[in-house]
Amino acid sequence: MTVRTFTMPKSLNESLATDQPPTSDAERSSLSGVDGTYSQSEREPLAAHGPKRKPGITYAAQDKLPRLPIPELEHTCKKYQAVLKPLQNRREEEDTAAAVQDFLKHEGPELQARLKKYATGKTSYIEQFWYDSYLNFDNSVVLNLNPFFLLEDDPTPARNNQVTRAASLAISALCFVRAVRKEELPPDTLRGTPLCMYQYSRLFGTARIPTENGCQIAQDSGSRHIVVLCKGQFYWFDVLDDNSDIIMTEKDMAINLQVIVDDAEQTPIQEAAKGALGVLSTENRKTWAGLRDVLTREENSNNAECLSIVDSALFVLCLDYTEPKTGAELCGNMLCGTSEVVRGVQIGTCTNRWYDKMQIIVCKNGSAGINFEHTGVDGHTVLRMASDVYTDTILRFAKSINGQAPSLWTSTSPDPSKRDPDSFGDVSTTPHKLEWDMLPELSTALRFAETRLADLIQQNEFEILEFTGYGKNFITSMGFSPDAFVQMAFQAAYYGLYGRVESTYEPAMTKVFLHGRTEAIRAATLESIEFVKTFWADNSSQQKIEALKKATQKHTALTKECAKALGQDRHLYALYCVWQRAVDEEGAEAASSNGYSSPVEGSSSEIGMSSQRGGSISPSPPQSPSKTQGSKSTSSSPSHKRPLQQIPSLFTDPAYDRLNTTILSTSNCGNPALRHFGFGPSCADGFGMGYIIKDDSISVCISSKHRQTKRFVDSLEAYFAEIKRLLRSVKKGEGTGRSRVREIQGEKKASKGKVIKADTQKGPGVVAADNVGEAVEEEEEDEGLGGYGFFDAGMLLQALKASQEEKERPSDKATPQFLYRQLYLKHTSCVFQTGTMSGVESNPAVPQESKSAKKKKAKAEASVKDTTVQSNVGSETVKTNVENTTNGADGAYESPYMKELYKSIRNVKKKLNATQKVDSIIAENPDQTLDQLLAARKINQDQKTQAQKKPALQASLAQLEEQVAQYKQFDEDYQKRLATEKAALETSHKEELDKVKEASSSAAKAESAKEAKDKLLVLSKFLRAAAAKRQGGDETSPENRAFEGALLLVYGGEAGAVAAMESLIAGTDEKVPTVDQVPSEYTYKQVRDLAFEYAPYAAEEAWAEDVAQSEPNPPAAEESTPEVGTDPTVAHAGLTELDTAAEPTSNGVSHHIDTPTVPDASNIDAGAANAAAADPGWEAKLSASAESGPEGWVEVARDPAETDTGTNATPAGMTSTQSWAEDVPPDPQWNSATSEAAPAATAGSDGFNEVRRGRGQRPQGENRGGGRGRGGYRGDRGGEGGYRGRGGYRGDRGGGEGGYRGRGRGGRGARGRGDAPS
């Protein structure tokens, strides 16, 4: 198999062996997919055809960089055993030691010699093998190779939407392209040491091209267009001219992007997804190579041209239509896109990608990130690009406010807005849409690729941790390396969950060497194991911190060694590759003499490459020993030396596989321009962890194949909180041993320095960087998370969070002040001071400061107000005010940029002050040159150098002071603009605030009114029930006595009455006193409940009963034609239940009845009882109305045999004086069958009978007593009809006279044969 060789540019005066074109048909066919797309130099990826350039600053130090050293074999083997020891038991250690010794005695020295010979004339001994490991990877690059960066949101709110943010980032990226191509990009340095800049030449215009024999990296060094992806649709337009100068302004770019978005919206997303060919770049590389052959099978076809445009673009700009809400969703979108299937069609953002190139991704809400192809560039290179792009967007915004604002790159290129369009040359700035010809093979392949990609996305999960408790400032103040500190956190969190340590990988940058990439740091050491065991055991805080110090120191030492290229992983891998090529091609020299790599057939699967993030690929064991022996027996090549026919024992040792099966793949890559950085796990049961250590926070993005990622994040956060508590407790403990005198002396010394106030804008618990240590000493002990064991890591933190949220949870009823805050903060992040409303406290209580904090704060304020720095430079006097202009409203914030400027000014002035002595010597000898003064020994060489540098220092000072003045002017303009916006906001929000106040007030009034009505309703129900009980209740019952007592209190007309009503309304458990002031058996609550349950018409029936008792006895009936008397209940039915608007019904049929007028009986004086008889004809009217219904009433003759008195008997209803409203049966004598029953009722009286109270006992055998039925006269069906009206008990069905009809339908009369039982 053949794979392209990567070599350095010719401009570096270095080259590998001369590249030759492929000679075999197989090799030619493998390149057929790119023959028509690229030139010869472009088809040879990263080969010796570097960019043609004029001398510049970007690559100025390349020729001076040292070559990557090849470590000594014994040193590498020793380190190899050391990194394995934490992962092995004693038996495994012995096996590994034996394998290493065997390797050192046999194959090792020869392979080392071959490697050194191979590296002769090469830029790097590992570079070729490095590219082979990436390009031989056949699986999908998604979640396996491509990492991502998630940028911070643009600080200018106007740009936080898709089109404007994308246009801004695209223009800044093009400025970076121009700086690289024109070599105007300042080189990277590390503590003054220049770094290799070679990777920047391969950053843009490159593409990963799959072939049948592995992938290639092709580059169009003259690319001048970009490709835009929107909803899976492809667009392109030119952005550079032939001189790599930008031909578009940011406004022009925004217009083009808006046109693209509008055009993409015209095609339904489900229809567009069917032609989203970007999904094919996620396929298996060999499958994708075959599909590219389908696209390019016809030379100069439409598909071939479209593919060429995409491959040769500078970069791809992806405009997503989604708006991820959470950080984890954003990270997933940047790494692999989203998967969403609607009606069987994939419409997620995973279809809006092209993973073979660098992609700038912008979401609908303006969130942006970068996904890049990892073969030719490392994270450090892309980080520089991302950081510069983000910075340039801010500086261009500043330049729009102040034209004198500085630029990030010094460039001689013309401003595109001031250029003549004719000077652009042959360019096309109008967006063009790529219309692919969707062949049947492509449509089918697209569907299968999408389903496999959806599977891959669903198999992985992402969680993020944005820990704001502290960051680099706090860690360094405690004396730890930030990176080593976080690495130990990973070890402790994993050990806390699983009780073991695993192989851990972290890349160390080796760009201090020519074409350097990375070396592997193995974070799992004996010291780290000792630390995690100490941390999770029952040990003191001091012991835990001491163990942490030893572990971090060991990790720092390993990092320094790896940065010097003295690690073990890269060297061992190179030795393995040399062995593999020697076996196949009879020596390492022939392995790549023609510029190609030719590993053993099937080596890509046998090597078992596993990607290590941050730029590392490490191999798994190539073959088992048994397979090797089998191949040995069948080999017939006599030219191969015998030791090289067998896989070295070191590579067949299981320990080599375990070391390279990375469970914790980690990488530290980021700065304040990034929000998150991450990648997928490197093995099925591993975690991928990208982290960024900022000044006051730590951001971590963790991925895994659903391996309790959220729980791991919680454990990590719990560790960070706990270790801070331990550090604080240990630091406090160190100070307790000092005497009071020493403490006072220390305080005096501390007071001499500059006091830095806490940075209140960074949140609670975070202080300014220069004062972290002091702030930690003064902080009070928090609740902490001490005492937890193996299985509750993270759970205590969750409980603590829940407790804190419970404390901070607002009340259910939001106050007007709360609504005001929410409304105001919704529209602006500037919190202006507000007062109180309606006496409500506007701000929560401020925690009390300690005395020492108050003193230091007062000293700091006094110092800031009065301090000025004065410096004399020659004859000039420069005064610098220390109290700088600040952006914060309270003056507590000072720009880091201004701090850096003032620091630079102070340094320059110090150097100028140092030249005063030599200036005086020069002034005393005006006629002598510096060389003459040096020869005369009046000055020394250093003084001469100082004098020579003075003009440059003075120019630098002037430039710095000019920058300070510009910054102040910019700040002043910004403050004015901020004040204007603030006033506009206050004006615009005043009306809305008034509406909120009015709404809140109205709601409060309505609530108050409703509450008052409810209270009055309770009181009304009580009064109704009490009145009814006075009419018809038993005065001696406890219930009535309680009601009487409560009623007496309510009618008291004093303060006690109010208290009684309040108790009654509230339903208290206090006993109600009776009228005798003795506590009753009932509470106010019980009385209230009884009042609610009282029958609604009880009181009215009692009143109606009194009216009924006032009626005179009806006249006696004549024997021949008995005149039916009128039931008095009919006359008063309207006062009880009959509705004058309703019509009576019979068997469901409505009957209209003219109701006669009832005489008034509203008075209860002595004459009121006879009021009903004032109208002599009202009974006749009633009788007539009863007979005038639709059916009429039929009088049925009554059989005299059915009664004791015959037909001449007086109707029982006529002689009854019992009230119809009572629920008690009549007196037993009323039911007598004798004719004396009727006159007995009125004998010796004035027509009134005594009203009986309470319920009487119904005699056995009788029917129910007087009930409440419907009015109207209805003859009994069995004989002489009674009165249907209210009153008498229901006749027994066995016989007897029908009485007055009780409740319901009344008695059915004497339908039977016998008499009513006595």
Side-chain angles (χ1 to χ4, degrees), residues 23 36 77 147 180 482 611 674 730 799 863 900 989 1175 1250 1299:
T23 57
C77 291
V180 171
S611 72
L674 300 188
V730 170
S863 174
E900 202 63 34
H989 294 332
D1175 185 0
E1250 180 181 357

Short mmCIF file of all heavy atoms in Angstrom, two decimals, residues 23 36 77 147 180 482 611 674 730 799 863 900 989 1175 1250 1299:
data_model
loop_
_atom_site.label_atom_id
_atom_site.label_comp_id
_atom_site.label_asym_id
_atom_site.label_seq_id
_atom_site.Cartn_x
_atom_site.Cartn_y
_atom_site.Cartn_z
N THR A 23 4.47 4.87 -10.42
CA THR A 23 4.85 4.10 -11.60
C THR A 23 3.88 2.99 -11.92
O THR A 23 3.79 2.54 -13.06
CB THR A 23 6.25 3.50 -11.39
OG1 THR A 23 6.23 2.71 -10.20
CG2 THR A 23 7.28 4.61 -11.24
N GLY A 36 -7.47 15.48 -11.95
CA GLY A 36 -8.04 16.60 -12.66
C GLY A 36 -8.33 17.79 -11.78
O GLY A 36 -8.83 18.79 -12.25
N CYS A 77 13.60 2.87 27.11
CA CYS A 77 13.10 1.64 27.73
C CYS A 77 12.89 1.82 29.23
O CYS A 77 11.93 1.29 29.82
CB CYS A 77 14.08 0.51 27.47
SG CYS A 77 14.13 -0.01 25.73
N PRO A 147 -11.17 17.39 16.22
CA PRO A 147 -11.57 18.08 17.45
C PRO A 147 -12.38 19.34 17.12
O PRO A 147 -12.61 19.65 15.95
CB PRO A 147 -10.24 18.45 18.12
CG PRO A 147 -9.17 18.07 17.15
CD PRO A 147 -9.81 17.73 15.84
N VAL A 180 -0.70 35.12 6.93
CA VAL A 180 0.14 33.93 6.76
C VAL A 180 0.78 33.93 5.38
O VAL A 180 2.00 33.70 5.24
CB VAL A 180 -0.70 32.65 6.97
CG1 VAL A 180 0.10 31.42 6.57
CG2 VAL A 180 -1.13 32.55 8.42
N PRO A 482 -0.92 24.78 37.28
CA PRO A 482 -2.35 24.63 36.96
C PRO A 482 -2.65 23.36 36.18
O PRO A 482 -3.63 22.67 36.47
CB PRO A 482 -2.65 25.89 36.13
CG PRO A 482 -1.65 26.89 36.59
CD PRO A 482 -0.41 26.10 36.87
N SER A 611 -6.50 6.73 18.12
CA SER A 611 -6.13 8.15 18.13
C SER A 611 -5.97 8.65 19.54
O SER A 611 -6.73 8.35 20.42
CB SER A 611 -7.20 8.97 17.41
OG SER A 611 -8.35 9.05 18.18
N LEU A 674 -11.80 31.12 24.03
CA LEU A 674 -12.58 29.90 23.87
C LEU A 674 -13.45 29.67 25.09
O LEU A 674 -13.05 29.95 26.22
CB LEU A 674 -11.66 28.69 23.68
CG LEU A 674 -10.72 28.69 22.47
CD1 LEU A 674 -10.04 27.35 22.35
CD2 LEU A 674 -11.47 29.02 21.20
N VAL A 730 -5.31 23.94 55.34
CA VAL A 730 -3.88 23.76 55.55
C VAL A 730 -3.17 25.11 55.62
O VAL A 730 -2.28 25.31 56.46
CB VAL A 730 -3.29 22.89 54.42
CG1 VAL A 730 -1.76 22.89 54.47
CG2 VAL A 730 -3.82 21.47 54.53
N ALA A 799 -26.40 17.71 46.91
CA ALA A 799 -27.20 18.07 48.07
C ALA A 799 -26.91 19.50 48.49
O ALA A 799 -27.82 20.26 48.86
CB ALA A 799 -26.91 17.11 49.23
N SER A 863 -5.29 54.91 49.11
CA SER A 863 -4.09 54.78 48.29
C SER A 863 -4.38 55.07 46.82
O SER A 863 -3.62 55.74 46.14
CB SER A 863 -3.50 53.38 48.45
OG SER A 863 -2.43 53.20 47.58
N GLU A 900 -1.29 46.35 31.33
CA GLU A 900 -0.12 45.93 30.57
C GLU A 900 0.59 47.14 29.97
O GLU A 900 1.82 47.18 29.91
CB GLU A 900 -0.57 44.96 29.47
CG GLU A 900 0.52 44.05 28.94
CD GLU A 900 1.08 43.13 30.00
OE1 GLU A 900 0.33 42.69 30.89
OE2 GLU A 900 2.30 42.86 29.93
N HIS A 989 -38.04 52.12 29.34
CA HIS A 989 -38.58 51.16 30.31
C HIS A 989 -39.51 51.79 31.33
O HIS A 989 -40.19 51.09 32.06
CB HIS A 989 -37.44 50.48 31.06
CG HIS A 989 -36.59 49.62 30.19
ND1 HIS A 989 -37.07 49.01 29.06
CD2 HIS A 989 -35.28 49.26 30.28
CE1 HIS A 989 -36.12 48.32 28.49
NE2 HIS A 989 -35.01 48.46 29.19
N ASP A 1175 -109.20 38.58 51.66
CA ASP A 1175 -109.81 38.47 50.33
C ASP A 1175 -110.71 37.25 50.33
O ASP A 1175 -110.23 36.12 50.34
CB ASP A 1175 -108.72 38.32 49.26
CG ASP A 1175 -109.31 38.33 47.86
OD1 ASP A 1175 -110.53 38.44 47.72
OD2 ASP A 1175 -108.50 38.22 46.90
N GLU A 1250 -100.93 25.22 69.32
CA GLU A 1250 -99.55 25.34 69.77
C GLU A 1250 -98.61 24.73 68.72
O GLU A 1250 -98.87 23.66 68.21
CB GLU A 1250 -99.36 24.58 71.09
CG GLU A 1250 -97.93 24.66 71.61
CD GLU A 1250 -97.78 23.88 72.89
OE1 GLU A 1250 -98.78 23.35 73.35
OE2 GLU A 1250 -96.65 23.82 73.38
N GLY A 1299 -103.93 11.24 53.96
CA GLY A 1299 -103.70 12.51 54.66
C GLY A 1299 -103.05 13.51 53.75
O GLY A 1299 -103.04 13.38 52.55
#
